[in-house]
Structure formats: structure tokens, C-alpha cells
Amino acid sequence: MKKLVIGNLKMNILSPDERDRYLAWLKKELAGKKNNDSEIILCPPFVHMEAFKKWNNKKIHLGAQNMFSETKGSYTGEISPVMLKNLGCEYVILGHSERRRYFGESNGSINLKIASALKNGLKPILCVGETREEKENERTLGVITNQVKEALLGVKRAKAEQIILAYEPVWAIGGEKVPTANEIMEAKLLIRKILVDLFGKKYADLVPIIYGGNVNIKTVAGVCVDSGMDGVLIGRESLQPHEFVKIADIINNSCKF
Ligand code: 13P
């Protein structure tokens, strides 16, 4: 299994000029790099998806930050999985804590999106994780259990290898702190156990489990390498191509199986 280095650009890059500068900078940073042991995925805002695709760097795969569960019709303002697929997008982040928090997404609505993504040939990157309050009340494991079980309800085991699980503690996102390697390993073990319950061991083992929340060149060894994660989901540092590519390098060089 290749390690995954996923950049979530969130609601940034505000103009075509800024996008072109970003892509030119990224191209420079990627020049001459070999990332044989990892796969880089970038998730730009929808409006830049086509330009990212046309830029067509073979080292980069594309993901979306969200989608709707329906494929077509009167759903003002929504984006169809078929639209994404037709633009060359391969992945889609679903259930990000910012969507849960600001847009009221529930495990139930995320479950519909997961089913639709899989049906329409997109690989869902399912985000789960506890808030600070839930952590303080020692509810972390219960919260993660519900999020994974409810979001994956009804998913067939044959589809398991299309799914990526991202453990993103909400309190670490955009912050200064990260969980200890032990805390991350504990979350990973729990997620793996739930996946085994849902799909059986053979299929559960095909699901990469990655970490997200304040990943940077200083934290990446602890949150990915030491804790045995299958990759990272990066927010802020993905907006800085030199930092993003350095993180990818660290993962590529040190996360050998
Ligand atoms: P930061 O890397 O900025 O903490 O964001 C993480 C995140 O939300 C990725 O989806």
C-alpha cells in the first residue's frame, strides 16, 4: 500500500492569478522529485478543479472537498459526483469536521454521500475525530466508533478498498498541538477493529488509515511515521508548496513497509 499525502486546500486560492502562481510554484518544488512510495492527492476548491486537471502533473491526483449525494437535478448550489468524475477527479473528502460543524452534516447524510461516491467511481476520504470537549470527557473512542459505523453503514466489503479513513481530531485542526503517537495508534487500532467488524479482516486491511490535524515538517514524524499511519491529510501547509513537498519527501523516505 502506498502512503498517501493529501492536501486539503479548503476555501483558499481566491483568484485565477493566485491559482496559476500556486501551480507554478508547486511544479518547481516537484521538479526532479521521485515519490515512488507515496501518492500525492490535492483537493482544490471546485472552481479550480478543471485548471488543476489541465495542469496535468502526473505526480498529482485530484480530490474534491465535498459533493452532494444526488447525481443531477434541482439542487441549487450543489456539486454532483458525476461532475467531479467527469473532470478527472478521483477522490472526495467526506465528513470533514468543518462540514459537520458549519453545514450541519450528520453521519446519516455523510453515509448517503459515501454510498453515492462509491457508486459513481469516486474514492471517499472519510474524516472522523473528536472535539476537544469530547476528548476532555473521555468520549473519543465512542465518538469515532459511531462516526465510522454510521458513515459506512451498508457499504459492501468489495468496496472497502476504495475507501480511505482519515483520523482528524477536531482540536488539532488549525491549532498548535497534535495527539501523541500513542493516542493516534489507539485511534488507528480502534478504526481497524471497526473495519474488521464491518468488512472482515482481509478487506479491512485494504483500507488506508491516515492522520490529519496540524501536520507540518516538525510534526509529521510523530503523527505519521512513529504512529504507523498510512499517510496524512494536510490543511494549512498544503498552501505552501515548499512545505507540502517537504512533508511528502519525509513520508516517502521514511514510511517504508
Ligand atoms: P491543518 O493542517 O491546517 O490543521 O488542517 C487539517 C485539516 O483540516 C485537513 O483536512
Side-chain angles (χ1 to χ4, degrees):
M1 191 190 289
K2 281 192 170 190
K3 298 286 175 186
L4 300 169
V5 181
I6 308 178
N8 176 6
L9 296 169
K10 305 196 180 181
M11 197 176 72
N12 295 296
I13 308 185
L14 301 186
S15 67
D17 279 354
E18 193 180 341
R19 176 197 65 214
D20 291 347
R21 280 198 302 275
Y22 176 87
L23 288 175
W25 185 9
L26 184 61
K27 187 175 179 188
K28 201 170 121 226
E29 295 296 334
L30 286 169
K33 298 273 181 204
K34 287 205 181 81
N35 56 319
N36 300 335
D37 293 312
S38 60
E39 178 163 325
I40 299 178
I41 301 161
L42 274 180
C43 305
F46 293 128
V47 292
H48 297 314
M49 190 67 75
E50 200 165 359
F52 271 62
K53 185 64 194 172
K54 284 201 178 121
W55 178 64
N56 197 23
N57 188 306
K58 300 229 162 22
K59 289 175 189 154
I60 303 284
H61 297 257
L62 285 182
Q65 298 173 19
N66 181 33
M67 54 164 249
F68 191 42
S69 47
E70 296 294 331
T71 51
K72 187 175 183 214
S74 303
Y75 302 103
T76 302
E78 289 298 327
I79 300 287
S80 155
V82 181
M83 292 171 179
L84 295 173
K85 185 82 187 156
N86 288 339
L87 283 181
C89 180
E90 295 170 67
Y91 296 86
V92 58
I93 298 173
L94 294 175
H96 192 283
S97 59
E98 287 152 14
R99 302 242 20 119
R100 294 178 193 258
R101 178 172 173 200
Y102 301 120
F103 304 97
E105 292 199 8
S106 63
N107 292 334
S109 63
I110 294 161
N111 176 249
L112 292 177
K113 292 183 180 198
I114 297 266
S116 176
L118 290 169
K119 191 168 169 216
N120 291 291
L122 292 172
K123 297 178 189 166
I125 302 163
L126 169 62
C127 299
V128 300
E130 79 286 0
T131 61
R132 179 174 306 283
E133 197 194 349
E134 287 160 347
K135 179 177 166 61
E136 283 167 2
N137 289 315
E138 296 180 10
R139 290 179 50 216
T140 300
L141 301 184
V143 167
I144 296 175
T145 302
N146 285 346
Q147 288 176 333
V148 177
K149 275 191 179 163
E150 291 177 23
L152 296 182
L153 195 73
V155 173
K156 299 265 183 298
R157 59 172 57 183
K159 293 280 186 187
E161 65 180 320
Q162 307 291 316
I163 299 167
I164 296 162
L165 241 298
Y167 171 52
E168 289 211 308
V170 182
W171 53 270
I173 294 174
E176 301 297 321
K177 296 206 169 118
V178 289
T180 63
N182 273 343
E183 284 171 326
I184 297 175
M185 272 189 278
E186 198 181 2
K188 182 179 179 180
L189 278 176
L190 172 71
I191 293 169
R192 185 70 72 206
K193 184 180 169 305
I194 301 166
L195 294 173
V196 170
D197 289 348
L198 288 172
F199 302 128
K201 181 160 174 14
K202 187 174 134 203
Y203 291 91
D205 284 351
L206 301 174
V207 180
I209 304 176
I210 65 173
Y211 171 82
N214 191 27
V215 177
N216 58 45
I217 52 170
K218 292 200 187 107
T219 59
V220 65
V223 298
C224 182
V225 185
D226 302 346
S227 47
M229 297 300 268
D230 301 316
V232 285
L233 180 50
I234 306 168
R236 284 159 295 172
E237 298 298 289
S238 63
L239 291 164
Q240 311 291 337
H242 61 299
E243 299 295 316
F244 183 68
V245 172
K246 266 190 222 157
I247 296 171
D249 268 352
I250 295 172
I251 292 188
N252 198 44
N253 295 334
S254 50
C255 292
K256 305 278 185 204
F257 291 159

